[in-house]
């Protein structure tokens, strides 16, 4: 079976966490769903972890333009949900 990565950008951590919880409820293992953002808090990359977060985006198989768009969205305060399904 082929693995795919789903990504979505949310305005708030709560919105991203609600989707993460729903994906887990639907059977996707929690370790395969992450929420990252610059807002700090559980399950997010804080400001001091920016380099690791930006590097982790390179592991997501998507066009460079999309990675840059998501990175900019997070820089502006958004939260990126990534699910490997």
């Amino acid at each position: 079976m082929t693995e795919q990565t789903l990504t979505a950008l949310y305005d708030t951590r709560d919105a991203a966490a609600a989707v993460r919880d729903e994906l887990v409820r639907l059977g996707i293992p929690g370790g395969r769903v992450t929420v990252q953002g610059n807002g700090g808090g559980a399950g997010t990359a804080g400001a001091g972890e920016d380099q690791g977060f930006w590097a982790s985006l390179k592991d997501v198989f998507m066009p460079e333009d999309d990675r840059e768009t998501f990175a900019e969205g997070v820089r502006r305060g958004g939260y990126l949900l990534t699910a490997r399904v």
Side-chain angles (χ1 to χ4, degrees):
M1 184 177 288
T2 301
E3 181 178 282
Q4 294 186 0
T5 301
L6 305 174
T7 55
L9 190 62
Y10 294 90
D11 290 332
T12 67
R13 179 176 49 216
D14 289 342
V19 173
R20 178 195 60 216
D21 294 346
E22 181 66 13
L23 290 171
V24 170
R25 188 187 72 73
L26 291 170
I28 298 172
R32 298 183 66 81
V33 183
T34 61
V35 174
Q36 298 174 304
N38 283 327
T44 65
E49 300 170 332
D50 287 349
Q51 198 63 10
F53 168 70
W54 306 127
S56 73
L57 280 180
K58 293 183 179 181
D59 291 336
V60 178
F61 296 107
M62 67 175 73
E64 182 69 26
D65 289 345
D66 289 346
R67 279 196 301 270
E68 290 175 12
T69 299
F70 285 128
E72 182 62 23
V74 171
R75 272 193 290 271
R76 292 179 181 215
Y79 292 84
L80 181 67
L81 178 136
T82 305
R84 294 180 184 235
V85 297

